[in-house]
Amino acid sequence: MKNSDCNALSMLRSSPAITEKGTPCPLGMKKHIDPPEKDMDAFDLLDKIPGVRHGPGGVICLYDRLVSLKASDRVIPINYL
């Protein structure tokens, strides 16, 4: 899924692991250590779908700790998985 700014949603599935009561919880994967807030901009694409609001999401990356980056979206260290 992409928007006109070429934001891509890396991974979005309808599985119990990343949905909460039918609400999609988007995940992205990045190779860098310290992702900028703009890495989560693609998550807002879900909010443009009528009747859909995204739940808490995250970017899985090489950062060393779990931190909030934007609203309810977090940076998730790969070693947490």
Side-chain angles (χ1 to χ4, degrees):
M1 182 183 300
K2 290 186 179 186
N3 68 6
S4 60
D5 296 327
C6 295
N7 289 324
L9 190 58
S10 300
M11 181 171 46
L12 177 63
R13 296 183 186 189
S14 295
S15 71
I18 59 172
T19 61
E20 184 176 321
K21 297 179 184 174
T23 301
C25 299
L27 292 174
M29 298 184 82
K30 299 294 179 181
K31 291 190 267 185
H32 47 262
I33 293 174
D34 193 9
E37 189 175 309
K38 72 178 182 110
D39 282 350
M40 295 184 185
D41 287 348
F43 298 171
D44 296 333
L45 292 175
L46 294 171
D47 297 335
K48 294 181 180 181
I49 300 170
V52 175
R53 281 286 191 224
H54 84 276
V59 172
I60 300 166
C61 66
L62 299 173
Y63 200 67
D64 63 346
R65 62 180 194 255
L66 180 70
V67 294
S68 292
L69 193 59
K70 180 179 175 184
S72 62
D73 300 325
R74 298 180 179 215
V75 173
I76 305 167
I78 188 77
N79 62 353
Y80 276 38
L81 304 181

